[in-house]
């Protein structure tokens, strides 16, 4: 088992939903947790609640599409904590419209946040992770990377792309002791779905804590084992099989 105390993790989109659940589980395991989100106010709330219960946590304003901001944030973390051990590429967006209704700018925004963002983030942490002797990069993809439904073309393209990127990064990371995993998550009770689809039967979705628990499980694997891909599904939701 890995000793997780003294490790430093950054979670993109950590201010709410799955990202927030991951931040809580990592901080509870003794990991210094950086909550990185475009919604700084929400991220500050998560960081404060962790610090109130004696955990090490910091919020940073970070847009995963902004390479300059990312470089600055990673440099600050490495100078403050001396290392960056875990990156969770969790931030994600969607727009539920048909291809005919999808503006090109919205397609680009979704691809930028969900696919180019994880690339820029991974590139920024790769060098410090290699220099410190290893690390973990976890990419939150979706059952949308395994099958398709209507009115989600950009989301499907981005998540399918992220799954492919994650496997490519896994191959490049292994020689440097950087473990890379794609988490293929099924439907979760987060604002991502509940705000847009209030009519959804919540009992068909899983608690984001269950997926967050899987992230911790990945980090706890023995040093000589890596899990490149793992699927975590609710018992009832029907996006799979
Ligand atoms: P959410 O909308 O509840 O939370 C997403 C967070 O990402 C928000 O805090 C938001 O501010 C942040 N964010 C958005 N754009 C950002 C950017 N450019 N830079 C930094 N932060 C940004 O969503 P969620 O359900 O918690 O989703 C988390 C991840 O899980 C996403 O990648 C999503 O695609 C994936 N996922 C969700 C479900 C589901 O059913 N909710 C299922 C499978 C996969």
């Amino acid at each position: 088992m890995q000793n997780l105390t003294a490790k430093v993790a950054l979670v993109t989109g950590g201010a709410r939903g799955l990202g927030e659940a991951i931040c809580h589980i990592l901080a509870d395991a003794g990991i210094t947790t950086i909550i990185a989100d475009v919604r700084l106010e929400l991220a500050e709330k998560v960081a404060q609640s962790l610090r109130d219960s004696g955990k090490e946590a910091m919020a940073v304003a970070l847009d995963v599409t902004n390479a300059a901001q990312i470089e600055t944030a990673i440099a600050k973390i490495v100078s403050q904590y001396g290392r960056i051990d875990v990156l969770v590429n969790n931030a994600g967006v969607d727009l539920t419209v048909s291809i005919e209704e999808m503006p090109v700018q919205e397609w680009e925004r979704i691809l930028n946040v969900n696919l180019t963002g994880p690339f820029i983030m991974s590139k920024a942490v790769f060098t410090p992770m290699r220099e410190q002797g290893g690390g973990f990069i976890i990419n939150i993809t979706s059952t949308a990377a395994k099958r398709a439904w209507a009115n989600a073309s950009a989301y499907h393209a981005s998540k399918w792309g992220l799954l492919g990127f994650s496997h490519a990064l896994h191959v490049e990371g292994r020689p440097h002791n950087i473990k890379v995993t794609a988490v293929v998550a099924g439907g979760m009770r987060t604002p991502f779905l509940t705000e847009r689809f209030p009519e959804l039967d919540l009992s068909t979705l899983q608690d984001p804590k269950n997926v967050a628990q899987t992230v911790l499980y990945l980090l706890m694997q023995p040093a000589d084992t890596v899990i490149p891909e793992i699927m975590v599904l609710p018992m009832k939701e029907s996006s799979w099989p």
Side-chain angles (χ1 to χ4, degrees), residues 12-20 36-39 42 62-65 89-93 109 113-114 140-143 155 159 162 183-193 195 205 208 237:
T12 70
R16 72 175 201 184
L18 174 61
E20 180 180 4
D37 207 291
V38 280
R39 297 175 208 223
L42 275 187
L62 184 137
D63 182 339
V64 299
T65 67
N89 282 314
N90 165 77
V93 292
R109 181 179 70 88
V113 175
N114 297 3
I140 306 297
T141 176
S142 162
T143 45
Y155 190 67
K159 291 298 185 182
L162 182 59
V183 174
V184 179
M188 290 175 277
R189 289 189 288 273
T190 70
F192 179 84
L193 287 184
E195 277 183 358
L205 303 173
E237 186 236 21

Side-chain angles (χ1 to χ4, degrees), residues 4 6 23 30 43 45 90 103-104 132 147 178 181 204 210 214 221:
L4 297 178
C23 288
K45 274 190 193 161
N90 165 77
V104 174
Q132 74 195 11
R147 58 174 300 179
I178 299 172
T181 306
T204 63
N210 305 357
T214 303
Q221 292 309 298

Side-chain angles (χ1 to χ4, degrees), residues 123-136:
K123 187 173 160 63
V125 300
F126 202 92
T127 305
M129 283 182 177
R130 179 171 54 69
E131 288 175 353
Q132 74 195 11
F136 299 83

Side-chain angles (χ1 to χ4, degrees), residues 27-46:
D28 285 349
I31 299 174
T32 297
T33 303
I34 292 128
I35 301 111
D37 207 291
V38 280
R39 297 175 208 223
L40 183 59
E41 250 178 61
L42 275 187
E44 294 278 16
K45 274 190 193 161
V46 177

Side-chain angles (χ1 to χ4, degrees), residues 60-142:
V60 295
L62 184 137
D63 182 339
V64 299
T65 67
N66 185 330
Q69 203 181 41
I70 290 167
E71 284 298 331
T72 307
I74 300 300
K76 188 179 164 206
I77 290 160
V78 172
S79 103
Q80 187 164 338
Y81 298 105
R83 52 193 306 107
I84 173 87
D85 298 288
V86 181
L87 164 66
V88 184
N89 282 314
N90 165 77
V93 292
D94 186 14
L95 178 68
T96 306
V97 292
S98 71
I99 286 177
E100 285 174 291
E101 293 163 325
M102 173 74 79
V104 174
Q105 295 88 334
E106 283 299 295
W107 169 277
E108 288 173 347
R109 181 179 70 88
I110 294 163
L111 270 287
N112 277 337
V113 175
N114 297 3
L115 180 55
T116 309
F119 158 70
I120 304 172
M121 290 295 311
S122 303
K123 187 173 160 63
V125 300
F126 202 92
T127 305
M129 283 182 177
R130 179 171 54 69
E131 288 175 353
Q132 74 195 11
F136 299 83
I137 299 174
I138 294 172
N139 297 303
I140 306 297
T141 176
S142 162

